[in-house]
Amino acid sequence: MALSSLTVHEALDLLRRKEISPKEIVEALVKRIQEIDGAVHGYLSFDPERALKDAEHADVSLPLGGIPIAIKDVVSVQGHPCGCASKILQGYIAPFDATVIKKLRAAGAIPFGRTNMDEFAMGSSTENSAFGPSRNPWDADRTPGGSSGGSAAVVAADEALAALGSDTGGSIRQPAALCGCVGVKPTYGRVSRYGLVAFASSLDQIGPLTKNVRDAALIMNVISGADPCDSTTLDEPVPDYTADLDKGVKNLTLGLPKEYFIKGLDPQVEEAVRAAVAWYEKLGAKIVDISLPHTEYALSTYYIIAPAEASANLARFDGVRYGFRADGITGLSDHYGKTREEGFGQEVKRRIILGTYALSSGYYDAFYLRAQKVRTLIRRDFDDAFATVDAILCPTSPTPAFKLGERTGDPLQMYLADIFTLAANMAGICGISIPCGFAEVDGKKLPVGLQILGKALNEATMFRVANAYEQSTDWHRAKPLFGAESERLKGEK
Amino acid sequence: MSATKFDVRYIAELARIKLEPAEIATFESQLGHVLEHVEKLNQLDVSEVEPTAHSFPIYNIFREDQIRPSLEREAALANAPRQAQGLFIVTKVVE
């Protein structure tokens, strides 16, 4: 078996027994990337020399000692590009480490490569990347999801052992579901956002994408915790998230929200999720029907709050202190107008316009304030539900991976890809997507994700529920036949 | 909260983004649809509801006001599109 197909915990075992070295893992990944990333396009850049150097000094006795981790192009790693897949940050080199990167380094991990994404994390397919989309390793004609689509694709295609992504409305969980890997959105405030280029500050969280639940728990052990550089982080103890993994689901109550099994849900996705629910019942969990009555308002709430916050956050891209500046400028207003016209892509402009409108004089109360109030109603739905259930089960995405180009002309259709993941960001709770089967479309097997939502700060129970299913099923071990896919693409060229 | 007052040209000016006429037309129609969808929020009575910005009620996070090292000038300037003599070069503001 190639070292690139190892999981994090398998690699840690082998490293600690001195059967392999961190350098060999990095070399195996470099080889794999050179072989197939031309077709996947999961990475925007990677620096093998620096990774090999880090590997030489890695202390394998540390919690993630010697483990290379791919980083979404929105998290700052000192000395590496951090371009958010945008032209406006082309050539930008991060002058400092994000807090999560400091923590990963302190735990012995090796930040490795920059993964592709929708520009500024705005999108659900990576098609908004200024550098071209990534492809789904299960079917190269389809999207890996987004916005952390590069991170999901490289984990699924064994071009990384694990990756970091960011999740504002589903940007970790949705691509994890579409690529057949595990993706975690932590509780808001659980993981520091310092060094994450801000999209929507009241929603953004950094989290791991991995090949299994245990690996995600191991990474969460390292990146969680309060940070003086991010005042929204919670000063709460970080438990060992691996401690309860094997406790099973006997005596746990799991809720099934009726609002998540609606028209528009793909029948094959519904079938796979319902089968997973039945499996949980076999494993000893009590399944109860619940209602989250304000679910239908989540999408509208999101598309006020996220663009509004984005329009304020992206005001910093002014072509003065960093990034791109347009040529042939005639004056100050021309400087801003042209730089931002040429530097930002379509979707980013669209959202800045929408957000500026929602915050503009006379509209703030009608849009942003109202949306923040509806957010309270959504949060209360979850409070009520978690009074009686330990976790909630639902689909991660209403459909399996869609075709590249299928939804780019219709923003609202694209936004619907996140309909089941948005509410967790609104409520600030934690969520995970794990593989729970396949849909068969046009003769291709496409992964389906099961979403498990947990109470705020109760990642431990969320991981326990996820692990009980994963360890009694085989879905997470299935691998895409990307060798064949990449050969086919070469043939087409 | 009605989509009819949505003037993309004016909003783009507020956001300091130049747009081509074709882009303005596209955005007007696309964002019009999004705003129609968003009008759904008017169905709810939120008069007695407090807004949520963080799922935990945390307020006033203070720390000691201590001097700490920050970015060196050279590092802060390294990414600037134009710089000279330790300063950012900006576009002329005063005529």
Side-chain angles (χ1 to χ4, degrees), chain A residues 93 325 334-335 346 350 376, chain B residues 18 30 50 52 89 91:
Chain A
I93 303 294
R325 181 188 291 190
D334 196 48
H335 165 126
Q346 284 267 317
R350 202 157 29 229
T376 304
Chain B
K18 280 211 170 120
Q30 288 173 334
E50 288 291 313
T52 291
I89 307 281
T91 301

Side-chain angles (χ1 to χ4, degrees), chain A residues 143-478:
Chain A
T143 167
S147 67
S148 310
S151 291
V154 298
V155 170
D158 284 339
E159 296 178 70
L161 272 53
L164 286 189
S166 64
D167 190 313
T168 305
S171 278
I172 290 174
R173 290 160 288 157
Q174 185 257 14
L178 269 44
C179 289
C181 47
V182 171
V184 177
K185 186 209 90 78
T187 303
Y188 185 76
R190 177 80 294 190
V191 176
S192 167
R193 294 175 298 111
Y194 181 70
L196 169 73
V197 178
F199 162 13
S201 304
S202 76
L203 304 169
D204 298 341
Q205 272 289 288
I206 296 171
L209 292 105
T210 56
K211 296 176 187 178
N212 59 60
V213 175
R214 181 170 294 275
D215 288 2
L218 285 167
I219 294 174
M220 279 298 291
N221 277 353
V222 168
I223 64 174
S224 302
D227 176 13
C229 294
D230 176 359
S231 60
T232 61
T233 50
L234 297 163
D235 193 8
E236 299 287 335
V238 179
D240 176 0
Y241 290 122
T242 63
D244 292 347
L245 281 182
D246 297 322
K247 287 195 174 160
V249 288
K250 273 203 184 88
N251 305 322
L252 291 188
T253 306
L254 305 177
L256 213 56
K258 63 172 193 226
E259 291 82 1
Y260 283 66
F261 295 87
I262 47 164
K263 201 174 132 257
L265 176 60
D266 181 279
Q268 294 192 71
V269 172
E270 175 161 6
E271 197 182 321
V273 171
R274 291 215 184 264
V277 172
W279 188 251
Y280 270 111
E281 213 161 6
K282 269 199 190 129
L283 293 175
K286 190 181 162 199
I287 307 290
V288 295
D289 288 320
I290 57 165
S291 174
L292 300 165
H294 295 94
T295 299
E296 61 173 309
Y297 300 100
L299 186 72
S300 299
T301 312
Y302 181 84
Y303 277 98
I304 294 299
I305 294 172
E309 295 182 8
S311 72
N313 276 324
L314 270 61
R316 61 168 61 85
F317 298 102
D318 57 5
V320 173
R321 292 155 298 160
Y322 34 70
F324 167 81
R325 181 188 291 190
D327 289 329
I329 285 162
T330 58
L332 189 65
S333 121
D334 196 48
H335 165 126
Y336 294 141
K338 258 197 192 143
T339 295
R340 289 160 65 81
E341 176 191 18
E342 293 171 26
F344 289 135
Q346 284 267 317
E347 179 64 17
V348 173
K349 286 185 212 173
R350 202 157 29 229
R351 295 209 198 180
I352 292 176
I353 301 283
L354 183 57
T356 303
Y357 176 62
L359 293 179
S360 64
S361 175
Y363 293 99
Y364 176 86
D365 285 1
F367 286 108
Y368 189 72
L369 190 62
R370 173 170 283 267
Q372 291 284 70
K373 287 180 175 178
V374 176
R375 201 174 160 182
T376 304
L377 301 176
I378 294 169
R379 184 167 59 82
R380 282 186 197 156
D381 284 355
F382 283 103
D383 287 347
D384 292 347
F386 286 122
T388 56
V389 303
D390 297 291
I392 293 170
L393 303 177
C394 57
T396 308
S397 160
T399 66
F402 43 94
K403 285 206 162 147
L404 291 166
E406 193 179 306
R407 299 191 187 183
T408 40
D410 185 349
L412 200 54
Q413 267 306 309
M414 189 66 95
Y415 297 170
L416 286 169
D418 294 328
I419 190 138
F420 295 148
T421 45
L422 299 163
N425 301 74
M426 294 295 136
I429 59 171
C430 56
I432 187 171
S433 180
I434 60 171
C436 74
F438 290 93
E440 209 166 306
V441 186
D442 303 338
K444 293 265 171 60
K445 276 170 74 183
L446 302 174
V448 175
L450 171 72
Q451 184 173 220
I452 301 158
L453 299 173
K455 201 174 160 181
L457 283 179
N458 200 351
E459 276 83 358
T461 300
M462 173 191 83
F463 280 131
R464 174 179 164 188
V465 171
N467 199 58
Y469 179 83
E470 182 191 89
Q471 289 308 306
S472 60
T473 56
D474 265 334
W475 306 117
H476 65 291
R477 288 201 189 87

Side-chain angles (χ1 to χ4, degrees), chain B residues 12-70:
Chain B
E13 216 172 281
L14 289 179
R16 301 289 185 271
I17 299 178
K18 280 211 170 120
L19 293 178
E20 297 292 330
E23 235 175 348
I24 291 176
T26 312
F27 282 4
E28 219 141 35
S29 115
Q30 288 173 334
L31 293 177
H33 286 134
V34 174
L35 286 170
E36 270 167 38
H37 193 88
V38 161
E39 279 188 28
K40 212 179 167 55
L41 296 182
N42 288 334
Q43 299 166 357
L44 292 167
D45 177 11
V46 289
S47 51
E48 304 294 320
V49 182
E50 288 291 313
T52 291
H54 195 307
S55 51
F56 283 83
I58 55 169
Y59 305 100
N60 298 342
I61 308 296
F62 291 113
R63 59 167 171 78
E64 288 304 308
D65 187 15
Q66 283 165 338
I67 297 173
R68 293 177 303 176
S70 58

